Amino acid sequence: MKQLSILFLAIALLACTKKETPNTENLTQYVNTFVGTDGPGNTYPGAVVPFGMVQLSPDNGIGGWDRIAGYFWPDSTIAGFSHTHLSGTGAGDMYDLLLFPTNSRFTDDLWPNQKAYRPYSKFSHEKEEASPGYYKVLLESSGIEAELTTTDRVGMHRYTFPEDVQSKIILDLGYALNWDAPTETTIKIENDHSISGVRKSTGWANVQHVFFVAEFSKPFENIALTPESDMQNDTEVSGKNARFETTFSTTEGEQILVKVALSSASVEGARRNMQAELNHWDFDAVRAAADKKWEEQLSSIRVEGSDYQKEVFYTNFYHLFLTPSLLSDVDGTYKGADQKPKVADGFKRYDTFSLWDTYRAAHPLYTIVCPDEVENMIQSILAHYDETGLLPVWSMAGNETNMMIGYHAVPVIVDAYFKGLPMNAEKAYAACRASGMNDSEEMELYRKYGYVPFSEKGENWSVSKTLEYAYDDWCIAQFAKTLGKEQDYALFSKRADNWKNLYDEKTNFFRAKDIDGNFLEPFVSKEYTNVYCESNAWHYLFAAQHNIEGFRDLMRKERFTELLDSMFTYYPAADDDLPIFSTGMIGQYAHGNEPSHHVPFLYNFTDQPEKGQKYVREIIETQYSNKPDGYCGNEDCGQMSAWYVFASMGFYPVNPANGVYYLGSPSLDEAIIDLPNGKTFTIKAENNSKENVYVQSVTLNGKALTENFITHQQLMEGGELIFTMSNSPK
């Protein structure tokens, strides 16, 4: 591949500290945190700071797929405000430490069939608002106004009460939704205004520990601890469903504030986090500080376009920074993936790595806009390797969930290495190799046969695994070559060609084989079977991201182009039974799921790049919006958003680990990337409009661009990329 040499050009490029760039306008005003809370997006609207440990957000209190993140726009109930949430996933977990204010006005129970009384309130979107780092709602059933904000590790609540002698604040550790279930909970009353404890739970992540310290601005008047417990006295209660309730007499408009500090390690860790981050009661100052953090994060890219375009862009850019999430305390302590106490020495330990999704575009985007945080991410990934012997697959809350497929921490590491980000290269390589040589997820069979054989047992995903393993193998091979490990380079280079072992030249699709090398029959390309991960044969048709030229040449360029055309024009039939993850369909292209996100840019490998420009712009215009249902599929921890950010600026990383960005059709008039080395990279689209989707010419720093891509090195050197747009192909 001619791009291989480009991979190594960026190795000497060193990351620098992010510069502070003055802003002339408030960018957080363009963020709509409710986008994704309707439809399949599965986001939450609450308060969080970039990569924060706390995700303080309202819960409707009802389970189900639509409420995976705790909140669903069509609902009209709020059961409380919990401190941890997942953004845009299909995993119903977290919802730790539910806090809820109530009073004597409304005593209905949202869970009447359960033993414990759990109140709720009606609410309306007309009396609800949110912005990055802030959430506010009127609980209409009680007349209480609730406001939320947060620091990195501490959530802050401000409740404005009406007059009532039975005003209450409840902390319910037994509250659980979806896959989450408490296993051990404890609450201890420390004095007349503070409590501490722990919620241990299981769910998608098997062993979750959330220690906490909560301080109240008003002394407790009356206290009740749940009687449903294994141990109870006047000051402490424990069991699966520990619950604390305090009653106050409040005057009209009286405000009571609560601060809740978290830790995965210990109560003392939570206490240190509280002392370090929030040793005062100034809610508005905390909110302003959270807004400032978001301003600094969002200001790394400044765009020009309509207000609508800015709203969609900055909302997507905002969602990029909700994960990974902080796991370590202010002193570095955290619960490791081996369930033992650990200390992150000199780095911030992150978790919530949805790598099957985010390796594709989110992590390459991080290397541009926040390389310092990428260093923390790489060290966190390697810490997971220290703790478990393997790189993470899909890790969260100090656990490995082993969800999805591949060992996609590898491209994240390799991409960062070739972009010059500091790391212990030998250790990083050892970790990559260990994951590439392990025997889990049918890797032993993959090494034996050169592909994963079909099996009727469960979600075999044999074709998808083979293709994704081959891509990761290519990444390891490039890493090995640079480090002079020639034997490994030869081994993994050979394995990187394993995609060819499942290619059927008669159908031009990747198909499942049994252990004898026979293709599985019958074969219908649009059928969703257990050999493709959340996909069909169309979605994985172009999955050899590391060798698109080789795949194209294998089937001939003409056929390659025909299949690209068919992918966007062969629509499902009306009676096709599409699975829940097949959304955002344009023909067989499913933008609502990740495997084919790079496909529109593959027209750059044909003689008709204008077709890709048309489809990129169509996806931008039809699959994203600034409304609550503004995502066509799960937002997936930043990947769906990263696609938009890249595509709207006019380029995308087809191969996420080779430092090459292929051109598309920029929808924004201008985007200025403030690079961490003090330079800027400006992208302009001249004569741009909704109709002018075709690129007539491109210049880089005043010179005609002769290739249909730019490199990471070119981008980091700063300069100006100018597209000239037209309403007809070149």
Side-chain angles (χ1 to χ4, degrees), residues 529-579:
T529 68
N530 76 332
V531 303
Y532 302 102
C533 178
E534 296 189 354
S535 303
N536 62 19
W538 280 99
H539 301 169
Y540 268 93
L541 174 56
F542 300 99
Q545 295 162 272
H546 56 294
N547 197 351
I548 296 298
E549 295 99 330
F551 179 55
R552 176 199 62 195
D553 295 344
L554 185 62
M555 67 167 62
R556 294 176 296 103
K557 183 183 287 189
E558 295 80 4
R559 183 60 177 148
F560 181 86
T561 306
E562 289 171 358
L563 284 169
L564 275 174
D565 291 344
S566 296
M567 186 162 192
F568 290 99
T569 56
Y570 177 33
Y571 277 86
D575 58 351
D576 282 353
D577 185 18
L578 296 179

Side-chain angles (χ1 to χ4, degrees), residues 172-189:
D172 187 351
L173 302 191
Y175 165 80
L177 283 182
N178 299 315
W179 308 354
D180 172 54
T183 57
E184 178 185 345
T185 64
T186 298
I187 300 174
K188 179 180 180 181
I189 301 170

Side-chain angles (χ1 to χ4, degrees), residues 292-560:
K292 183 180 178 182
K293 282 188 175 183
W294 278 112
E295 278 295 323
E296 292 173 351
Q297 196 71 71
L298 297 175
S299 68
S300 57
I301 302 180
R302 290 166 287 140
V303 305
E304 291 298 330
S306 67
D307 283 348
Y308 172 82
Q309 287 178 310
K310 289 182 179 180
E311 288 167 9
V312 178
F313 181 89
Y314 283 111
T315 297
N316 277 272
F317 204 29
Y318 163 83
H319 280 121
L320 178 73
F321 302 112
L322 299 187
T323 54
S325 53
L326 193 60
L327 184 65
S328 57
D329 295 340
V330 291
D331 64 353
T333 58
Y334 66 94
K335 178 185 76 69
D338 58 358
Q339 311 311 323
K340 298 177 181 178
K342 304 292 179 183
V343 177
D345 186 8
F347 69 98
K348 292 183 285 188
R349 176 65 158 93
Y350 286 128
D351 214 352
T352 318
F353 286 104
S354 179
L355 293 163
W356 184 79
D357 306 297
T358 57
Y359 89 92
R360 304 170 193 272
H363 283 280
L365 188 52
Y366 295 141
T367 66
I368 298 172
V369 298
C370 56
D372 290 345
E373 294 294 0
V374 175
E375 293 180 40
N376 289 312
M377 294 176 198
I378 298 300
Q379 291 196 70
S380 298
I381 287 170
L382 294 179
H384 185 101
Y385 163 69
D386 288 336
E387 294 153 17
T388 67
L390 295 173
L391 292 170
V393 175
W394 209 128
S395 62
M396 59 168 281
N399 289 259
E400 176 57 81
T401 69
N402 280 311
M403 187 63 176
M404 307 312 291
I405 56 175
Y407 30 103
H408 294 316
V410 168
V412 172
I413 291 171
V414 172
D415 181 48
Y417 175 75
F418 283 117
K419 289 174 178 174
L421 296 178
M423 69 178 69
N424 182 333
E426 288 294 336
K427 178 179 179 178
Y429 178 77
C432 291
R433 192 184 193 283
S435 286
M437 297 300 290
N438 86 94
D439 289 339
S440 65
E441 297 299 321
E442 298 171 300
M443 282 287 294
E444 184 177 7
L445 296 174
Y446 170 75
R447 292 197 301 273
K448 179 178 179 180
Y449 295 104
Y451 61 91
V452 176
F454 163 74
S455 170
E456 293 182 353
K457 296 179 180 178
E459 293 176 322
N460 174 236
W461 294 340
S462 61
V463 176
S464 298
K465 285 179 179 177
T466 299
L467 297 172
E468 304 225 22
Y469 292 161
Y471 174 72
D472 294 335
D473 290 340
W474 178 87
C475 294
I476 297 175
Q478 309 317 307
F479 204 178
K481 183 176 182 179
T482 302
L483 297 178
K485 302 180 186 297
E486 293 299 326
Q487 188 172 354
D488 277 0
Y489 171 66
L491 170 67
F492 286 100
S493 292
K494 182 179 179 181
R495 283 172 45 171
D497 281 339
N498 282 345
W499 58 272
K500 298 177 182 178
N501 295 334
L502 294 186
Y503 175 68
D504 176 17
E505 62 182 12
K506 293 181 180 179
T507 63
N508 294 127
F509 284 95
F510 295 111
R511 296 179 52 190
K513 285 182 177 179
D514 61 23
I515 59 173
D516 296 319
N518 301 309
F519 283 118
L520 184 66
E521 300 290 354
F523 172 73
V524 179
S525 62
K526 68 176 182 177
E527 281 190 353
Y528 293 81
T529 68
N530 76 332
V531 303
Y532 302 102
C533 178
E534 296 189 354
S535 303
N536 62 19
W538 280 99
H539 301 169
Y540 268 93
L541 174 56
F542 300 99
Q545 295 162 272
H546 56 294
N547 197 351
I548 296 298
E549 295 99 330
F551 179 55
R552 176 199 62 195
D553 295 344
L554 185 62
M555 67 167 62
R556 294 176 296 103
K557 183 183 287 189
E558 295 80 4
R559 183 60 177 148
F560 181 86

Side-chain angles (χ1 to χ4, degrees), residues 96-97 171-175 181-188 196-201 208 210 212 226 228-231 236-243:
D96 295 289
L97 312 184
L171 175 65
D172 187 351
L173 302 191
Y175 165 80
T183 57
E184 178 185 345
T185 64
T186 298
I187 300 174
K188 179 180 180 181
S196 63
V198 63
R199 184 180 192 268
K200 297 181 179 180
S201 61
Q208 300 178 53
V210 180
F212 70 93
T226 179
E228 295 182 61
S229 61
D230 300 326
M231 185 279 291
E236 189 170 356
V237 61
S238 67
K240 284 189 177 181
N241 301 292
R243 172 181 162 130

Side-chain angles (χ1 to χ4, degrees), residues 217-286:
S217 63
K218 183 174 183 176
F220 309 139
E221 294 179 9
N222 293 293
I223 297 171
L225 294 173
T226 179
E228 295 182 61
S229 61
D230 300 326
M231 185 279 291
Q232 180 184 0
N233 54 43
D234 291 339
T235 61
E236 189 170 356
V237 61
S238 67
K240 284 189 177 181
N241 301 292
R243 172 181 162 130
F244 165 85
E245 178 181 303
T246 179
T247 305
F248 304 95
S249 295
T250 56
T251 58
E252 183 67 32
E254 182 176 353
Q255 293 184 334
I256 300 177
L257 288 81
V258 186
K259 302 183 294 186
V260 183
L262 308 188
S263 169
S264 67
S266 66
V267 167
E268 288 307 311
R271 200 183 318 279
R272 286 189 291 269
N273 292 340
M274 180 83 79
Q275 293 168 348
E277 294 187 0
L278 194 47
N279 59 2
H280 61 82
W281 290 99
D282 191 338
F283 182 94
D284 293 327
V286 178

